[in-house]
Amino acid sequence: MSEINRAVKGTGDILPADSYKWQFVESKMLETARLYGFKEIRVPVFEHTEVFLRSVGDTTDVVQKEMYTFDDKGGRSVTLRPEFTAGVIRCAIEKGLVNGALPVKTAYIGGCYRYEKPQAGRLREFHQFGVECIGASAPAADAEVIALARQVLSNIGIEKISLEINSIGCPECRKDYVAALKDYFKNNIDDLCDTCKDRLERNPMRILDCKSPVCSAIAAKAPVVTDYLCDDCREHFEAVKRHLTAAGIGFTVNPHIVRGLDYYTRTVFEFVSGDIGAQSTVCGGGRYDGLIFQMGGPSVPSLGFAMGIERIMLLLEAQGTVLPSVRDCDLYIAAMGDAAQLKATEICSALRTDGFKAQTDICGRGLKAQMKYADKINAAFSAVIGGSELETGKIRIKNMKTGEETEAGLDGVPDTLMSLIRSDALGDLEDAVLGK
Ligand code: ATP
Ligand code: MG
């Protein structure tokens, strides 16, 4: 196949037959976010490269290997967003949100771009849902954000998933920890991968997040950050745990979680599943108390998370969750002849105004082919208009499941269809039409 017929490696298409799943999942995400006061924010797909360099951190995989960076025609270096936090924080500083009433609670959905080795659950264009809670330092905020992630997952049908939490402390208590890590890794330096050898001086905590099996095995025995927390960070972490318990959320403490981005402080967490292979982290997040200041704003403690929607789709499939499907067509009107076609257009128009999903032939097909199409699109009801229907002013609306037919006046199709739907056992159709 030539390139013109082939999607770019690592990108995917969401086909019309599957888009209802994405619509369901995305609407649940934003709906659940609103229960906690999080409102949608939309930021650009690309930013000045500096926005990501300064926030994500220049020793991270994302910045070192994965960014889609290019010069635009004006010679500016821009980068397709590899994640949302940097752009949201850039916006919050630029538009003054950080100086207004805090906390500012934002939620987002959209595409992210990382030049990675494509495999199941790892793409070059993927989609994230996430939130940023700007200006909240209390442990209750950490628990609230985690509870929101948990509820999003359960509202879309994912119950079997585990929450792992950790605290990576503040820059103060991290000093001792980083020193201990350096000592430890120095003793193993010959076995580390080249990237990690480089990380040893610049940011040894990154080694804990290396995906190479040898580095991971060494990292597994490294000193753990929770042994180095200062009193404030320890108490904060303990309080987060108490709040999680109060919210009824189960968790395990995993002192090996450090997250792949540099800006995190104190609480970090992941939702992981054993059901989707190697790419097991569905959601990752944490607190980033220093980021806004580091990006040129005021010192405003904040936190957030991001979940990968493709991984969520894989998980839903692996766990056999059936998402509610949407009926594509309430009534299909087959028409024979020009006059009948005009009438069909008129009736469809009236039906759509009333909120019904109505379709008629737009391909100039014969009656048999039209009915075949009605079948194919799973129309709930169908009707035929020809010369005799135009003459009598009446048509028969057929229930495609039972074959039962009901007569309706040509001018009263919407009313008849409504009562048919009401009296029929087509529960989902009724819900859709009546807007329940
Ligand atoms: P990983 O360790 O799997 O590379 P990460 O730490 O780089 O993940 P984050 O930057 O925290 O991931 O992004 C949050 C979530 O976005 C991840 O938990 C995952 O669900 C999703 N995600 C990240 N990178 C990709 C990708 N290349 N393709 C699909 N989903 C991704
Ligand atoms: Mg990654």
Side-chain angles (χ1 to χ4, degrees):
M1 231 190 277
S2 75
E3 283 193 347
I4 197 168
N5 300 123
R6 208 177 55 216
V8 173
K9 191 174 168 188
T11 67
D13 300 300
I14 298 161
L15 300 179
D18 293 325
S19 55
Y20 75 92
K21 296 180 197 164
W22 284 73
Q23 287 169 350
F24 171 80
V25 164
E26 291 182 355
S27 63
K28 284 287 172 207
M29 288 168 161
L30 291 175
E31 218 173 82
T32 311
R34 279 198 295 273
L35 299 178
Y36 293 73
F38 286 76
K39 295 208 284 190
E40 191 186 4
I41 184 169
R42 299 190 188 192
V43 293
V45 168
F46 59 95
E47 300 272 353
H48 293 295
T49 300
E50 200 59 23
V51 170
F52 302 111
L53 291 185
R54 284 276 291 278
S55 55
V56 174
D58 60 3
T59 57
T60 59
D61 277 358
V62 169
V63 167
Q64 286 197 332
K65 302 189 262 189
E66 299 170 0
M67 293 209 303
Y68 276 94
T69 298
F70 57 96
D71 288 343
D72 70 8
K73 289 191 165 61
R76 295 169 208 92
S77 179
V78 293
T79 295
L80 301 185
R81 63 182 176 216
E83 54 111 56
F84 273 78
T85 304
V88 171
I89 296 309
R90 188 272 309 141
C91 163
I93 296 171
E94 181 182 352
K95 301 298 184 321
L97 307 184
V98 289
N99 308 314
L102 299 176
V104 176
K105 295 177 168 184
T106 66
Y108 57 79
I109 290 185
C112 295
Y113 305 84
R114 296 185 190 180
Y115 193 78
E116 302 210 59
K117 196 166 155 239
Q119 51 201 289
R122 193 174 291 288
L123 293 145
R124 290 182 176 172
E125 179 185 61
F126 62 100
H127 298 81
Q128 283 188 341
F129 159 74
V131 307
E132 310 300 345
C133 177
I134 299 166
S137 60
D142 306 54
E144 187 177 282
V145 162
I146 293 171
L148 164 53
R150 186 70 197 81
Q151 194 175 345
V152 163
L153 294 169
S154 46
N155 284 359
I156 57 184
I158 296 171
E159 292 296 348
K160 219 180 109 222
I161 193 153
S162 34
L163 166 64
E164 300 187 350
I165 63 170
N166 190 22
S167 173
I168 56 171
C170 61
E172 273 313 303
C173 52
R174 217 180 289 164
K175 276 183 198 152
D176 288 344
Y177 177 57
V178 167
L181 264 189
K182 262 188 190 163
D183 283 348
Y184 172 78
F185 284 123
K186 260 185 197 147
N187 291 329
N188 296 281
I189 188 157
D190 294 339
D191 297 325
L192 294 176
C193 73
D194 288 345
T195 320
C196 283
K197 282 188 180 119
D198 180 50
R199 286 167 171 154
L200 185 55
E201 279 314 312
R202 299 174 64 198
N203 191 349
M205 277 178 76
R206 285 273 65 79
I207 304 174
L208 300 173
D209 209 41
C210 182
K211 304 240 158 38
S212 121
V214 178
C215 297
S216 311
I218 297 171
K221 296 192 191 110
V224 293
V225 63
T226 32
D227 290 341
Y228 291 80
L229 297 181
C230 65
D231 288 348
D232 283 355
C233 287
R234 180 171 299 113
E235 176 42 37
H236 193 276
F237 191 40
E238 291 306 315
V240 171
K241 292 190 237 171
R242 287 196 296 273
H243 279 271
L244 283 174
T245 303
I249 294 168
F251 59 87
T252 49
V253 174
N254 177 353
H256 295 288
I257 297 179
V258 292
R259 309 290 311 128
L261 316 171
D262 267 358
Y263 47 63
Y264 288 112
T265 50
R266 292 192 163 173
T267 315
V268 290
F269 61 93
E270 292 185 351
F271 283 88
V272 290
S273 165
D275 291 340
I276 49 171
Q279 279 31 271
S280 57
T281 306
V282 170
C283 173
R287 182 168 272 292
Y288 48 85
D289 288 345
L291 179 63
I292 295 180
F293 182 72
Q294 186 184 313
M295 288 185 71
S299 190
V300 173
S302 300
L303 69 164
F305 67 74
M307 42 180 87
I309 306 183
E310 281 80 1
R311 289 190 196 174
I312 284 176
M313 293 303 183
L314 287 176
L315 187 54
L316 285 169
E317 209 167 297
Q319 297 189 347
T321 311
V322 179
L323 300 180
S325 62
V326 179
R327 187 182 301 286
D328 291 332
C329 182
D330 298 328
L331 177 63
Y332 184 88
I333 304 178
M336 290 182 296
D338 290 348
Q341 188 60 70
L342 271 183
K343 195 68 190 172
T345 296
E346 185 189 318
I347 296 173
C348 278
S349 161
L351 283 167
R352 291 164 185 157
T353 304
D354 283 1
F356 292 100
K357 295 165 188 156
Q359 295 195 51
T360 184
D361 177 56
I362 53 170
C363 294
R365 289 192 181 116
L367 183 63
K368 217 170 139 193
Q370 292 186 44
M371 292 313 292
K372 213 167 149 187
Y373 184 72
D375 234 9
K376 214 172 217 165
I377 62 173
N378 272 323
F381 294 91
S382 69
V384 177
I385 307 182
S388 65
E389 282 78 13
L390 290 176
E391 227 166 76
T392 59
K394 291 192 179 347
I395 57 167
R396 305 186 70 75
I397 298 179
K398 180 177 163 188
N399 183 320
M400 297 286 277
K401 232 186 253 165
T402 63
E404 196 183 326
E405 294 191 351
T406 307
E407 198 173 76
L410 279 181
D411 296 332
V413 175
D415 287 346
T416 309
L417 190 59
M418 178 62 94
S419 59
L420 279 172
I421 287 166
R422 280 221 169 98
S423 64
D424 198 272
L426 298 164
D428 54 341
L429 179 55
E430 184 176 354
D431 286 355
V433 172
L434 303 179
K436 274 191 209 158

